[in-house]
Amino acid sequence: MEQASVRDASAPARVAPAGEGISQEELALAARNHGLPMEALRYEVTPPGLHYVLVHYDIPATGEEDWKLAVRGLVRTPLSLDPAALRGLPAVTHRVTMECAGNGRALLSPRPVSQPWLAEAVGTADWTGVPLRLVLAAAGVRPEAVEAVFTGADHGVERGVEQDYRRSLPVATATGEDSGVLLAYAMNGLPLPPQHGYPLRLVVPGWYGMAHVKWLREITLVDAPYTGFQQSVAYRYRRADEASDAPGEPVTRIAPRALMEPPGFPDFMSRTRIVRPGPVRLRGRAWSGYGAVVRVEVSGDGGRSWTAAEVEPRGPHPWAWQAWTCGWEAAPGRHTLTVRATDATGRGQPLEQPWTWGGFGNNLVQRVPVLCC
Amino acid sequence: MEQASVRDASAPARVAPAGEGISQEELALAARNHGLPMEALRYEVTPPGLHYVLVHYDIPATGEEDWKLAVRGLVRTPLSLDPAALRGLPAVTHRVTMECAGNGRALLSPRPVSQPWLAEAVGTADWTGVPLRLVLAAAGVRPEAVEAVFTGADHGVERGVEQDYRRSLPVATATGEDSGVLLAYAMNGLPLPPQHGYPLRLVVPGWYGMAHVKWLREITLVDAPYTGFQQSVAYRYRRADEASDAPGEPVTRIAPRALMEPPGFPDFMSRTRIVRPGPVRLRGRAWSGYGAVVRVEVSGDGGRSWTAAEVEPRGPHPWAWQAWTCGWEAAPGRHTLTVRATDATGRGQPLEQPWTWGGFGNNLVQRVPVLCC
């Protein structure tokens, strides 16, 4: 037998044809990772166990005792910061809505085979930590640096490539006053839970989850754009597979989305909602990584007609979702409720699936089946 | 059109033939509910967001302000207890391993269609609250009472039956000094998270999760065995569907199980574990609702030969899992690691699936694919 290699643990990326059920491998990811139960949209700040979680490999066994954050590469003063040193720096708290770039993937047809999210991979938390720009200022970023590369303690194999989870940000984003990038050590006022990156994670407001590197142990300033797996192979908007010539656009900011707290009560298996006839107050949240949500519309007839919802203005938390409400008159029979958001840049949500090879950024409108009786 | 009814929201119970992929309905349940990521077996007490969660309907919007527990039916003094009254009673803390009765369901062939657990629906927490027997003693259970019926605030439809989630326990179990049944208001020292039953839940040590009624709002003492949906239709060990004459045995205590913290590191999609050649220290946890685990065995050859693991004796927490460790010499190539537990009553784990119609109590041995290279 030829010598085994880590490449033997991986199969090539694959797209499942229409009608092919979810595989046991996809299910194993869905059982580990989890979304926001839609009724938890009622909480402006998501309790940690309800916030979506996506872990590429294993949750690493990180403790505070022997943990250090290294800042190195193109800096004047390399740093090694322990948790006490970080907590000694000025802290801020940002309320941030975070969403997985793969949210909506399992609704696509054909279906990219990966973590099979429907529409629930989202959550909002209060993240407390040190502004990244303060730590980078203390280290002194050299002028030739163009990107900061962030390395997590999670280690695994993905499509044959053994790796620590690693992503980069442009120096302008990493050091910008307005970008709000945080080295966060607390979530909703408590130390990070293990699955959210204990003891330290990156938080990049407005960006999809892949940018918010968890279990962060190293920041390296480099003089050329980082081209590792999670930057150049995964997390690209492509129309064809990774062997094609087209590199695709990088996945960055969160596309607009509105979600509805499903009205009434559910059937266990079908999750169809039961509502009584009469007026129903629909509620939910909407967000965009590009700007404030300025319009939310609801349709009770599958998208033929739309009613404007009342949208809470963007308040003191510019990176958090906004609440919306809308009246609806329920008449006996079956209905499909649909909701869509539009942001200040004019970006909206499609009624037809925006298909990509990796299944990223699918912000297709949510559809909620309701039985009124 | 005939008038719609809640029955129209439900399809009949179904078993998916071998080879049929997981449906989008099953996936929707897997995305809401979640298991214990296997590496989290490293924690003796599971952090709340990693503890398995199964919610039949929606997490209800329960607050403490207007919340009361009613104790009624065949009691001398009906009670209405608010959270402050409960916290004024003597409190105890029990460390309890909890497992969903449907754990292992999605490994069955053919597959009962419901929440599609693989093997991860488990967790261990420190539950703090008032012994149920103290509250029942204060109410004064009348001699003709045979069962206590527990009603949660979660409401929904299941196979056409609209219901509050409701289960019963025999009076002897509910009032027994040794049964350890708790009215719990704290998990791991903090108020219950919403998904674990805030503000109050039942904890029934040694029993599968369906007995631990969440969002508990009423206890009713009755003079005949309760025959509601969750007691007599669901949560029965049956060989055929619910329309058959055989009622099946009720699902009660947790069958023995050992799980392994998967060694090495994973491939993202296949979850195959990569280990380096040489000695590997395998670790995990084992439990049974019938008594202490007295033996854990590990097989590296698919169950042909077995090695005894070292099992931590049952310590001060009689209802919590026990740690085990075992050495294994990894040689290059592919392996399947298997582990099984035996408890003090002689109950063990099967190598072939114990199939039932509802997919309950499947404690088939865990199999962990490993690639050594």
Side-chain angles (χ1 to χ4, degrees):
Chain A
M1 170 179 139
E2 254 186 279
Q3 193 159 342
S5 94
V6 294
R7 285 185 300 280
D8 301 326
S10 302
R14 195 174 83 81
V15 168
E20 182 181 304
I22 309 289
S23 65
Q24 202 172 93
E25 286 191 349
E26 289 166 285
L27 178 61
L29 289 176
R32 287 176 54 75
N33 299 304
H34 70 86
L36 177 88
M38 288 294 178
E39 66 272 25
L41 288 164
R42 79 169 71 103
Y43 307 107
E44 184 176 349
V45 175
T46 311
L50 299 177
H51 192 291
Y52 99 89
V53 176
L54 188 282
V55 175
H56 275 244
Y57 313 121
D58 282 0
I59 298 166
T62 45
E64 284 216 343
E65 322 70 50
D66 53 355
W67 182 90
K68 292 257 171 56
L69 172 69
V71 184
R72 53 198 292 182
L74 297 170
V75 293
R76 275 184 286 276
T77 313
L79 303 175
S80 175
L81 299 164
D82 64 17
L86 278 163
R87 276 193 289 264
L89 294 170
V92 294
T93 296
H94 293 326
R95 183 163 298 173
V96 175
T97 295
M98 205 181 287
E99 183 177 6
C100 185
N103 201 12
R105 179 184 289 124
L107 294 169
L108 294 172
S109 179
R111 182 183 76 251
V113 173
S114 182
Q115 164 69 35
W117 295 121
L118 296 164
E120 63 290 277
V122 67
T124 296
D126 284 337
W127 302 99
T128 301
V130 183
L132 174 60
R133 64 185 166 79
L134 298 186
V135 170
L136 293 183
V141 175
R142 292 186 181 277
E144 61 271 32
V146 298
E147 285 194 351
V149 179
F150 302 88
T151 304
D154 43 337
H155 185 89
V157 181
E158 212 160 336
R159 301 215 271 295
V161 181
E162 184 176 341
Q163 58 192 290
D164 294 332
Y165 188 86
R166 192 172 273 146
R167 288 270 313 177
S168 73
L169 288 175
V171 163
T173 306
T175 59
E177 286 234 22
D178 299 335
S179 57
V181 182
L182 271 192
L183 299 171
Y185 47 73
M187 180 186 190
N188 299 354
L190 291 171
L192 299 180
Q195 71 274 27
H196 287 291
Y198 179 83
L200 192 77
R201 74 175 301 170
L202 195 64
V203 171
V204 188
W207 288 51
Y208 280 118
M210 77 281 148
H212 306 234
V213 177
K214 287 181 278 195
W215 312 291
L216 182 66
R217 59 176 184 75
E218 190 178 305
I219 304 173
T220 308
L221 280 294
V222 295
D223 64 1
Y226 175 67
T227 58
F229 182 90
Q230 303 295 347
Q231 204 84 22
S232 299
V233 180
Y235 295 115
R236 290 273 171 169
Y237 294 113
R238 297 176 201 269
R239 300 294 308 172
D241 76 19
E242 293 147 7
S244 77
D245 286 327
E249 287 297 308
V251 177
T252 58
R253 289 184 179 274
I254 299 174
R257 190 190 297 270
L259 287 178
M260 181 184 302
E261 192 182 318
F265 56 86
D267 175 68
F268 171 75
M269 193 66 225
S270 71
R271 300 299 302 170
T272 295
R273 312 299 303 191
I274 317 292
V275 301
R276 302 308 181 199
V280 174
R281 174 61 39 187
L282 302 174
R283 295 170 208 283
R285 311 265 173 191
W287 62 94
S288 165
Y290 291 95
V293 169
V294 295
R295 193 163 64 248
V296 171
E297 296 156 291
V298 173
S299 173
D301 59 9
R304 283 187 298 278
S305 67
W306 296 87
T307 303
E310 286 173 52
V311 185
E312 177 191 58
R314 186 172 265 199
H317 304 294
W319 298 296
W321 54 24
Q322 296 159 252
W324 61 264
T325 69
C326 188
W328 176 60
E329 188 68 26
R334 289 190 183 271
H335 308 276
T336 300
L337 297 173
T338 306
V339 59
R340 68 180 179 193
T342 306
D343 72 16
T345 70
R347 288 176 173 86
Q349 292 188 249
L351 298 178
E352 300 295 330
Q353 61 172 13
W355 194 90
T356 59
W357 171 262
F360 297 118
N362 175 16
N363 67 337
L364 180 70
V365 293
Q366 180 193 20
R367 293 194 170 96
V368 180
V370 173
L371 176 66
C372 174
C373 59
Chain B
M1 169 178 139
E2 254 185 279
Q3 195 161 339
S5 94
V6 294
R7 286 185 298 281
D8 300 328
S10 301
R14 194 174 84 82
V15 168
E20 182 182 304
I22 308 289
S23 65
Q24 203 173 90
E25 286 192 349
E26 289 166 286
L27 177 62
L29 288 176
R32 288 176 53 74
N33 299 305
H34 69 87
L36 177 89
M38 289 294 179
E39 66 273 25
L41 288 164
R42 78 169 72 101
Y43 307 108
E44 184 177 350
V45 175
T46 311
L50 299 177
H51 192 291
Y52 98 89
V53 176
L54 187 282
V55 175
H56 275 244
Y57 313 121
D58 281 0
I59 299 166
T62 45
E64 284 216 344
E65 322 71 49
D66 53 356
W67 181 90
K68 292 256 168 56
L69 173 68
V71 184
R72 53 198 292 181
L74 297 170
V75 293
R76 276 183 285 277
T77 313
L79 303 175
S80 175
L81 300 165
D82 64 17
L86 279 163
R87 276 194 288 265
L89 295 170
V92 295
T93 297
H94 294 326
R95 184 164 298 173
V96 175
T97 296
M98 206 180 286
E99 182 176 7
C100 185
N103 202 12
R105 180 183 289 123
L107 294 168
L108 294 172
S109 179
R111 182 182 77 251
V113 173
S114 182
Q115 164 70 34
W117 295 121
L118 296 164
E120 63 290 277
V122 68
T124 296
D126 285 336
W127 301 99
T128 300
V130 183
L132 174 61
R133 64 185 167 79
L134 298 187
V135 170
L136 292 183
V141 175
R142 292 187 182 276
E144 61 270 33
V146 299
E147 286 195 351
V149 180
F150 303 88
T151 303
D154 43 336
H155 185 87
V157 180
E158 213 159 335
R159 301 214 271 295
V161 181
E162 183 176 342
Q163 58 191 289
D164 294 333
Y165 188 86
R166 191 171 275 145
R167 287 271 312 178
S168 72
L169 288 175
V171 163
T173 306
T175 59
E177 285 235 21
D178 299 336
S179 56
V181 182
L182 270 191
L183 299 172
Y185 48 72
M187 181 186 189
N188 298 355
L190 292 171
L192 299 180
Q195 70 275 28
H196 288 291
Y198 178 82
L200 192 77
R201 75 175 300 169
L202 196 64
V203 171
V204 188
W207 289 51
Y208 280 119
M210 78 281 147
H212 307 234
V213 177
K214 288 181 278 196
W215 312 291
L216 182 65
R217 59 177 183 77
E218 189 178 305
I219 305 174
T220 308
L221 280 294
V222 295
D223 65 359
Y226 174 66
T227 59
F229 183 89
Q230 303 296 346
Q231 204 84 21
S232 298
V233 179
Y235 295 115
R236 290 274 170 168
Y237 293 112
R238 297 175 203 269
R239 299 296 306 173
D241 75 19
E242 293 146 8
S244 78
D245 286 328
E249 287 297 308
V251 177
T252 58
R253 290 185 177 275
I254 300 174
R257 191 191 294 272
L259 287 177
M260 182 184 300
E261 193 182 317
F265 56 86
D267 175 68
F268 171 75
M269 193 65 225
S270 70
R271 301 299 301 171
T272 295
R273 312 298 305 190
I274 317 292
V275 301
R276 303 305 181 202
V280 175
R281 174 62 38 188
L282 302 173
R283 294 170 211 282
R285 311 266 173 191
W287 63 93
S288 165
Y290 291 95
V293 169
V294 295
R295 193 162 65 247
V296 171
E297 297 156 289
V298 173
S299 174
D301 58 10
R304 284 189 296 279
S305 67
W306 295 88
T307 302
E310 286 172 54
V311 185
E312 177 190 58
R314 186 174 264 198
H317 304 294
W319 299 297
W321 53 23
Q322 296 160 252
W324 61 264
T325 69
C326 188
W328 175 60
E329 188 68 27
R334 289 190 184 271
H335 308 276
T336 300
L337 297 173
T338 306
V339 59
R340 67 180 179 193
T342 306
D343 72 17
T345 70
R347 288 176 173 85
Q349 292 188 249
L351 297 178
E352 300 297 330
Q353 63 172 9
W355 194 89
T356 59
W357 170 262
F360 297 119
N362 175 16
N363 68 336
L364 180 71
V365 293
Q366 180 193 20
R367 294 194 169 94
V368 180
V370 173
L371 177 66
C372 175
C373 59

